[in-house]
Amino acid sequence: MKIVLGSDRSRPAFHQSYEIIRDKILNGELPGGTKIVEEKIAGELGVSRTPIRESIRKLEHEGLIVNKRVVKPTEKDLRNRFQVRILLEGYSAQCAASYLTENEINSLYECVEIGKKGNFEEMMSANERFHEIIVNASNNPVMIDIIDQMQSMIYLFRKTVIFYNRPHLIDEHEEIYKAIQERDGQKAELLMNSHLQADLDFCLHLIDS
């Protein structure tokens, strides 16, 4: 199906192309292993190959495309990325216990409640917001930028663990929230580390099965 860009002329074709391709990858329309053909996508979107080429470069930087194919993470890929996440988000959880305001802590609570009662899209949004609040608590622009560069891949992992209903996911969020509310940084860090390790183990189990 052809999708012609241009409804929002204030935004460059590159940005629009990037978002469309990224969404197709994240929603599974372009599954792992799919070969990315510039000419084909350019024809579908009604643009030249230049913005498509730029989009692919950005998606390669984010790890969603590797060697012109949609990423199909290996066990090693998963372990490497989660190792970085555990280090950064564990530290951020410790910072959150010290520096988050009461309003931000209340926002964490709201994310937990939505996770218990919301639909899939609401849970995805709440999950993303929960981790975003905690990461920003580090107040370290370098760390925040590294996580930001990994956001697409992180989103893919989060979608997997929510879609396949990983056990105890929201319970773990609630425990992290309580540790932060109690200003117990060491406990918050340990809980976040365990939470992300459980995400990794769940993703690896899906690959094996």
Side-chain angles (χ1 to χ4, degrees), residues 2 7 21 23 37 44 46 48 50 54 57 76 80 84 95 100 105 108 116-119 142 154 164 177 195:
K2 186 169 182 176
S7 57
I21 300 169
D23 288 346
V37 181
E44 290 174 352
S48 70
T50 300
E54 292 173 354
R57 276 200 292 266
K76 183 177 181 181
N80 287 344
V84 174
C95 293
L100 284 189
I105 291 175
L108 288 181
K116 292 178 181 178
K117 304 170 186 175
N119 59 35
V142 176
I154 290 172
Y164 288 97
Y177 152 73
H195 170 65

Side-chain angles (χ1 to χ4, degrees), residues 14-206:
F14 153 65
H15 290 302
Q16 296 183 63
S17 302
Y18 158 75
E19 289 175 356
I20 290 172
I21 300 169
R22 177 180 179 273
D23 288 346
K24 284 177 178 289
I25 294 173
L26 295 179
N27 66 24
E29 191 174 337
L30 291 174
T34 301
K35 184 174 177 59
I36 300 298
V37 181
E38 291 179 10
E39 297 91 335
K40 180 181 178 182
I41 296 176
E44 290 174 352
L45 301 186
V47 297
S48 70
R49 291 175 58 183
T50 300
I52 301 303
R53 193 174 297 116
E54 292 173 354
S55 300
I56 291 172
R57 276 200 292 266
K58 183 170 174 58
L59 291 164
E60 286 174 336
H61 180 65
E62 294 177 358
L64 288 181
I65 294 177
V66 178
N67 296 326
K68 303 299 183 183
R69 291 185 181 272
V70 176
V71 67
K72 196 171 185 179
T74 64
E75 180 175 325
K76 183 177 181 181
D77 293 331
L78 286 172
R79 290 187 185 281
N80 287 344
R81 290 182 181 277
F82 270 92
Q83 186 176 38
V84 174
R85 283 193 64 197
I86 287 170
L87 288 170
L88 300 187
E89 293 197 38
Y91 174 76
S92 296
Q94 182 185 106
C95 293
S98 298
Y99 303 125
L100 284 189
T101 65
E102 289 302 318
N103 284 340
E104 289 168 327
I105 291 175
N106 289 337
S107 293
L108 288 181
Y109 174 76
E110 291 171 4
C111 292
V112 171
E113 291 301 300
I114 293 171
K116 292 178 181 178
K117 304 170 186 175
N119 59 35
F120 178 78
E121 292 302 326
E122 290 169 340
M123 289 174 65
M124 278 297 304
S125 179
N127 190 313
E128 190 168 359
R129 178 64 179 150
F130 182 87
H131 285 271
E132 181 183 72
I133 292 169
I134 291 173
V135 168
N136 287 338
S138 70
N139 200 31
N140 183 322
V142 176
M143 287 176 54
I144 293 170
D145 185 57
I146 292 171
I147 289 288
D148 186 59
Q149 290 176 20
M150 295 173 62
Q151 273 305 332
S152 293
M153 189 63 73
I154 290 172
Y155 182 93
L156 199 61
F157 296 147
R158 285 178 184 159
K159 187 171 183 178
T160 299
V161 298
I162 292 177
F163 181 80
Y164 288 97
N165 195 25
R166 178 170 81 73
H168 312 302
L169 177 70
I170 304 305
D171 293 338
E172 292 165 15
H173 276 197
E174 187 165 25
E175 290 175 359
I176 294 167
Y177 152 73
K178 288 179 179 177
I180 291 172
Q181 183 189 42
E182 294 165 1
R183 304 297 184 181
D184 190 337
Q186 184 175 10
K187 183 177 181 181
E189 180 175 13
L190 291 173
L191 288 170
M192 179 62 81
N193 291 348
S194 297
H195 170 65
L196 295 177
Q197 183 64 50
D199 280 356
L200 170 60
D201 293 341
F202 188 77
C203 289
L204 291 174
H205 172 72
L206 291 176

